[in-house]
Amino acid sequence: MWKTSEGAGVTVAVVDTGVDASHSDLTGQVLAGKDFTSTGDPHKDTVGHGTSMASLIAGHGHGGNGSAGVMGLAPKAKILPVKVDINRDKGVTASWTAGVRYAVDQGASVINLSLDDTSAYPGSKAAKAIEYAQSRDVVVVAAAGNDAGKVNYPAALPGVVAVSAVDKALIPWSKSNTGNVIVAAPGVEVAQADPTTASGYAVADGTSGSTAYVSAIVALLRSKYPDLTAGQIVNRLVKSASFLNNKGRTAPDEELGYGIARPGTALTMDIPKGSKEGPLAKGSSSTSTNSAAGSDDNDSTSQAKKKKKSSSGGILLIAGIAAAVVVVAGILFVVLRSRRNGGNGGPGSGGTPSQGTGYPPQPPTGYQQYPNQGYPTPPGQAPQHPNPYAQQPPNQGQ
């Protein structure tokens, strides 16, 4: 996959809790950015969530030949840190809305929103900020949410790439929100950088992480296909997605949308450019037929049990707490089971991920890969499922 694209030349805005530019896996990757809170420094992240998302997008590891740490899917993309208020306080919406407009004006071509806010309904000031980004050829990627309800705003806004989460078996995560999902990506037991822990790392569950992965895939695509519009990039993302081992689903699916995003396939699959507006444009019917791979590439009958919607209270769901401690291959990790009021995964405390085999060809984290996918699984853990790609053409991978 990285032989095709590493995201060079692309700026991804992480509108979040700030990004720790001094973290060893992110040195040199983080731009100046801007703080929209009272702390004054977008490079400080006392929550850890923004740094975690940045590491999944553009982490480059550290140590000799990058032999340790976290490698993101787009290790040569640049991160624009946009620090915003993400809590229950009044004025939160205004904070990240201003951050989105700033990111656009600074030249970001991808905006990662691993957050939700019920105030970002159609016609709101927040929705107009998203429209501002879309009108300037920016791909906006947002988290579906983690309360097993319906896809939250701003992910539910027209044209936004709403991302749900799947587990290591590529089955829908039980807490992932459903409804207007566009694509899914791994979001369970995802190892990531976290400056709030003693080790600098944590493992978390949530659509925050799956959203960061999809933002990274978009960065890879924007780097390889600089002449494509944002809509045409989304077209590649959607048409290369697949239901894989989720047999019997029809696009658009409530849990997986048009399928699980596949970075290698998105980069190499022969896909016509399509309209400049792309498949998510208002009134477009192209998504109803654009996911043949998602409809046909099904390899097992496993399906996650859907859950009833829980109340989110219309609040940004970012600040989180550790809920369980588990031992992974002799390494102690705090696994975030949930965020306050059903949030989107995030920081915790725990041990340092084990060292890997270097890059290339493997990420410098010791992670094994989701088969032919390019997504890392946590250190010391092998995928707990058969290879769902075994019967697919050889170009459907990294």
Side-chain angles (χ1 to χ4, degrees):
M1 178 180 71
W2 285 322
K3 290 181 179 179
T4 304
S5 175
E6 295 179 83
V10 176
T11 296
V12 181
V14 176
V15 181
D16 214 296
T17 60
V19 176
D20 184 352
S22 67
H23 193 286
S24 55
D25 295 342
L26 287 167
T27 55
Q29 299 299 100
V30 184
L31 302 175
K34 186 172 181 178
D35 174 57
F36 287 87
T37 73
S38 59
T39 61
D41 189 352
H43 290 172
K44 291 193 184 222
D45 182 9
T46 58
V47 177
H49 189 266
T51 303
S52 294
M53 298 307 102
S55 73
L56 296 178
I57 296 168
H60 55 50
H62 65 274
N65 295 318
S67 59
V70 173
M71 175 70 77
L73 280 183
K76 289 192 176 178
K78 294 294 185 182
I79 297 294
L80 179 69
V82 183
K83 188 171 184 176
V84 299
D85 287 311
I86 301 179
N87 50 47
R88 295 174 181 265
D89 297 336
K90 183 178 180 181
V92 168
T93 302
S95 176
W96 73 259
T97 297
V100 166
R101 289 182 176 275
Y102 165 80
V104 174
D105 294 341
Q106 292 299 305
S109 60
V110 188
I111 295 178
N112 185 87
L113 296 174
S114 290
L115 54 83
D116 58 58
D117 180 6
T118 56
S119 296
Y121 51 82
S124 66
K125 290 183 178 180
K128 292 186 183 303
I130 299 296
E131 292 172 4
Y132 177 74
Q134 293 167 337
S135 71
R136 282 154 179 77
D137 202 44
V138 177
V139 178
V140 180
V141 187
N146 300 344
D147 58 14
K150 291 299 182 182
V151 172
N152 291 318
Y153 291 118
L157 289 170
V160 174
V161 180
V163 184
S164 64
V166 294
D167 61 20
K168 292 186 296 179
L170 304 181
I171 300 301
W173 182 47
S174 62
K175 294 183 180 180
S176 187
N177 287 16
T178 63
N180 297 326
V181 173
I182 301 303
V183 292
V188 177
E189 295 184 7
V190 176
Q192 52 205 248
D194 185 344
T196 69
T197 69
S199 67
Y201 298 93
V203 172
D205 298 344
T207 57
S208 278
S210 53
T211 299
Y213 277 142
V214 172
S215 290
I217 297 172
V218 173
L220 295 174
L221 291 171
R222 301 223 82 163
S223 179
K224 182 179 179 183
Y225 301 102
D227 296 332
L228 295 187
T229 66
Q232 290 166 338
I233 290 292
V234 173
N235 184 53
R236 289 197 70 88
L237 179 72
V238 169
K239 287 191 174 178
S240 59
S242 172
F243 289 142
L244 303 173
N245 56 342
N246 293 272
K247 187 176 180 180
R249 293 177 184 262
T250 302
D253 180 74
E254 287 276 305
E255 295 176 304
L256 299 176
Y258 296 91
I260 299 167
R262 298 186 293 173
T265 308
L267 286 166
T268 59
M269 189 174 179
D270 185 11
I271 300 173
K273 289 183 178 181
S275 69
K276 291 183 178 180
E277 293 76 18
L280 305 187
K282 292 181 180 180
S284 172
S285 61
S286 60
T287 49
S288 64
T289 58
N290 71 356
S291 191
S295 301
D296 299 332
D297 296 347
N298 301 315
D299 301 308
S300 98
T301 58
S302 298
Q303 188 171 15
K305 181 181 180 182
K306 294 187 178 181
K307 296 189 176 183
K308 293 181 180 180
K309 180 177 180 180
S310 62
S311 175
S312 65
I315 303 165
L316 291 177
L317 306 176
I318 287 295
I321 58 174
V325 178
V326 296
V327 175
V328 181
I331 302 174
L332 187 66
F333 286 100
V334 173
V335 180
L336 294 191
R337 298 298 184 189
S338 66
R339 290 204 157 267
R340 181 177 64 204
N341 205 20
N344 296 316
S349 61
T352 303
S354 55
Q355 293 189 356
T357 56
Y359 165 75
Q362 295 291 331
T365 53
Y367 297 175
Q368 296 198 15
Q369 300 294 309
Y370 282 85
N372 296 326
Q373 184 82 20
Y375 296 118
T377 60
Q381 292 193 14
Q384 302 298 310
H385 58 86
N387 187 342
Y389 299 80
Q391 304 302 316
Q392 295 190 17
N395 73 335
Q396 306 241 329
Q398 356 179 39

